[in-house]
Each structure stands twice: as structure tokens, then as C-alpha cells.
Amino acid sequence: MKRKPTIAVIMDENTSDDGSRYDTSKSYFTAVSRAGALPFGIPYVPELVDQVVGEFDGFLSVGGRINFPKDWYIEGDRSKYPPSDRLSVELALMEGFLARNKPVLGICNGMQMLACLNGCRMVSDVHSSWPGAIDHDRGNLLHDVHIQAGTRMAGIFNAETFGVNTFHREAIVETSSNVIVTARGSDGVVEAIEVPSQSFAMGLQWHPELLDAEAHPGSRIFDAFVEAASLRP
């Protein structure tokens, strides 16, 4: 039997309460498994980092609301979220996977981390910082995203425009030459990025794990992610 690739999935926590529990949607694990890989939840244990980076084939950085470093924000802004033990472990994991050129997929919080590690900057409240921005922090809202032609992500989705969910308050507003913006919302807000220097390092602001795996083009990112991870020796 062909070996299935293994994906390290950083756990989220209940930061909206007291941060005492890991609290991660099962949908991430279902999406990775459906695409043909074996997902493993990674807790905030620093001693695990080197072994995970060395042994796993890909890294999935999931959504969440944690306190990011102040210098990741534009001047005068800062995170409004609570501190979390997740930050240091996740940073070490993402940097380790990127250093080894192993596949990285960032969703929501994970996209923002991937972007900021590559020179981008963000705001803590896109609705008040971006003129004309829709309310992105609404779970029951769908809005269109427009995919940049000629990007790797465009080849994955094979669609120019589609509707996505939106659960984020923070957003990337300043991009660097290290990333390519691969999708924007109808209001111009950055919705997806890729890092061209990496074999596979992509981030989405929406939550593809909650989309229809069979019918929605935005969910195809998991298939591409797992395919990239399966190419590891």
C-alpha cells in the first residue's frame, strides 16, 4: 500500500474563553483526510517542534485569534487578541517547514502568519481600516473573491470568481515582493497569497475546510496541498 503523507495540524485553543482547552474544528482533519493524507493535531509543546518538522510531510496552520507581534502591524496598530502559547510553537513550526521547503498551507490566522513572515503587514480591524470594506467578521456571510490569473492558485481552483465564507477581523494590507496576492475580495481586501520561492506555501483568508468538498472550487486547495506533500521523499 502506498504510504500516505502526514500533515501536522497546529491545534487552536479557546482564546474567547480562558485559553485552558485545545479547541480545533474537526473539519480541518476531515478535509486533509479526504484529500488523501493523515492529519495529526500538534499541541503547544516546544520540545515537539524539531521532530515534527523533521518527520512530517506538510504543515497546516489553522484559523484562530491570537496576539501577533506588534511589528507585524502597520504603524500605530496592534493586535486586540489575547496572548497564546500557540504563537511561539506555531512560529517555530512554520519557519521550520519553510526552511526545509516542505508544503505549508495557512488558513485565516495561518495566512496572516505566512504573509507577515514574508514581509507583509496587517491591520487589527479591516472594517475600520479599509475604506469600503465589507464586514468580514461574519460567519453567515458569503462574498466573492477574484482569483489572479497566471498564478499557481489559479491553476488549482480553475475558476476566476467564486463565493467564500468570511470569519476574520484582521487582514493583510501591505504586501512584500516575497509574496504574490492570488485573490482579493470584491472590496479589494487580500484574500489569498502564495510564496513563489517555495515548493508550496499558500494562504487563504477564507475557510476552505467548511466548503463543499465535491462542488466548490475553493476547497481544491487541500487536494493540491496533499499532492505537494506526497511528493516529499
Side-chain angles (χ1 to χ4, degrees):
M1 180 181 295
K2 182 180 179 182
R3 173 188 175 275
K4 290 187 175 183
T6 54
I7 304 298
V9 183
I10 187 69
M11 301 294 286
D12 192 23
E13 65 176 339
N14 61 328
T15 51
S16 59
D17 192 2
D18 59 2
S20 63
R21 300 191 311 275
Y22 292 112
D23 188 6
T24 308
S25 170
K26 293 180 181 179
S27 298
Y28 295 112
F29 300 92
T30 300
V32 169
S33 178
R34 180 202 58 79
L38 299 175
F40 292 81
I42 307 300
Y44 313 153
V45 179
E47 291 78 13
L48 282 172
V49 170
D50 288 344
Q51 187 167 340
V52 169
V53 170
E55 295 183 2
F56 281 76
D57 300 304
F59 177 58
L60 174 59
S61 175
V62 303
R65 303 196 178 206
I66 64 175
N67 191 284
F68 281 157
K70 187 175 185 297
D71 61 2
W72 287 9
Y73 295 82
I74 63 173
E75 185 175 354
D77 201 357
R78 64 172 62 227
S79 174
K80 305 299 192 300
Y81 295 138
S84 171
D85 294 334
R86 172 179 169 177
L87 178 64
S88 60
V89 174
E90 184 170 16
L91 270 174
L93 286 169
M94 187 174 287
E95 289 175 333
F97 276 84
L98 292 173
R100 293 193 179 208
N101 197 24
K102 289 185 174 184
V104 171
L105 175 60
I107 295 174
C108 201
N109 170 100
M111 187 198 95
Q112 295 157 2
M113 179 175 284
L114 178 64
C116 290
L117 284 177
N118 282 278
C120 301
R121 293 295 176 265
M122 57 195 291
V123 291
S124 61
D125 186 350
V126 66
H127 190 247
S128 62
S129 303
W130 188 283
I134 64 175
D135 184 359
H136 286 264
D137 195 18
R138 288 177 57 189
N140 62 346
L141 177 70
L142 290 177
H143 69 80
D144 284 346
V145 293
H146 304 279
I147 310 303
Q148 179 63 46
T151 61
R152 292 179 64 192
M153 206 173 282
I156 293 169
F157 295 139
N158 195 28
E160 297 180 357
T161 302
F162 48 83
V164 299
N165 48 36
T166 184
F167 297 90
H168 63 103
R169 183 176 302 170
E170 300 186 321
I172 298 300
V173 293
E174 294 181 0
T175 57
S176 78
S177 59
N178 296 325
V179 308
I180 296 173
V181 175
T182 51
R184 290 184 182 272
S186 54
D187 55 2
V189 169
V190 176
E191 288 285 339
I193 62 166
E194 57 190 43
V195 182
S197 63
Q198 295 283 321
S199 61
F200 186 105
M202 300 189 180
L204 312 175
Q205 197 63 76
W206 67 87
H207 283 258
E209 78 281 2
L210 299 178
L211 301 175
D212 187 319
E214 300 297 328
H216 198 291
S219 68
R220 296 172 188 158
I221 195 72
F222 285 107
D223 298 307
F225 175 49
V226 168
E227 181 180 1
S230 70
L231 298 176
R232 302 302 306 171

